[in-house]
Amino acid sequence: MLKINDYMHARHEALEASAEEQFELAVRLINAEDAHRDFVACCTEAAMFFRAAADKGHAGAQYQMGMMHQAGKGVEGNCRLAAQWYRKAALQGHGNAMLRLAYLYRSGGGVRKDGVKAMQWRRKYTELCKARQSELTDDDLAGFRQIKPVGQDQTRAAASCMRPGVVGGNRRNGGP
C-alpha cells in the first residue's frame, strides 16, 4: 500500500514528466472512475495534468482544457477561458479545436460574436481535413475512427456557453 509520501513523490514526478506523458496520465485519470473515486475527483486531478501538458504546448491538452472549461468539469466553467485554450490548440492545427472555436464565434460564447471569424476557422478546418485526407493511405482510412473528447458529451459542452449565468456567455447572458 502506498504511503502519502509515495503518492506525493509520484505526483511530483508526473508534473515533471513530458507533455505527452502528462496528457496520457490525465486521460487515464478521467477514465479512472470507480468505487473509490467519483468522476468529479478524477476530472479535478486530470485537469492538473492537462494544464501542465497544455502549458508545455501540447495541442491535445490545450483542447481538453477548453472542453473542461466549457463544461465546467474539473475546473471553473468559463467559456472565455475555453475559447483561449481552443485558440491555442487550433493555431497548432488541432481540428476539433478549430470547429469549437468556429462555433463559439458563430454563437458568441466566450468571444464577441463574429461570423467572419467563424467562417475563417471553419475554412481552416476544411483545409486541414483535405490536406490530411490526401496524406492518408487506404490502410489509414480503414482504421480511422473519430475520437471523442474524454469525459465529455460534445453537444452539452457546446450548449453550455449559451446558458444564462455561464461565465463567458454572449452579451445577452452577461458575458464579455
Side-chain angles (χ1 to χ4, degrees), residues 68-121:
M68 293 178 94
H69 277 293
Q70 192 172 2
K73 301 283 186 190
V75 294
E76 74 172 299
N78 186 320
C79 291
R80 186 180 47 75
L81 289 175
Q84 289 173 0
W85 284 115
Y86 289 147
R87 186 175 293 107
K88 288 179 181 189
L91 289 171
Q92 293 190 67
H94 194 286
N96 285 339
M98 291 175 187
L99 285 178
R100 291 249 176 217
L101 202 50
Y103 173 80
L104 292 179
Y105 275 115
R106 188 181 75 228
S107 62
V111 293
R112 176 162 281 142
K113 193 172 184 176
D114 188 331
V116 173
K117 285 185 181 178
M119 237 176 18
Q120 289 171 339
W121 281 111

Side-chain angles (χ1 to χ4, degrees), residues 132-153:
R132 286 184 178 166
Q133 190 167 8
S134 68
E135 295 171 1
L136 294 176
T137 67
D138 289 338
D139 290 338
D140 292 331
L141 292 172
F144 183 75
R145 64 183 173 88
Q146 184 176 5
I147 300 172
K148 287 187 176 182
V150 292
Q152 181 58 51
D153 175 72

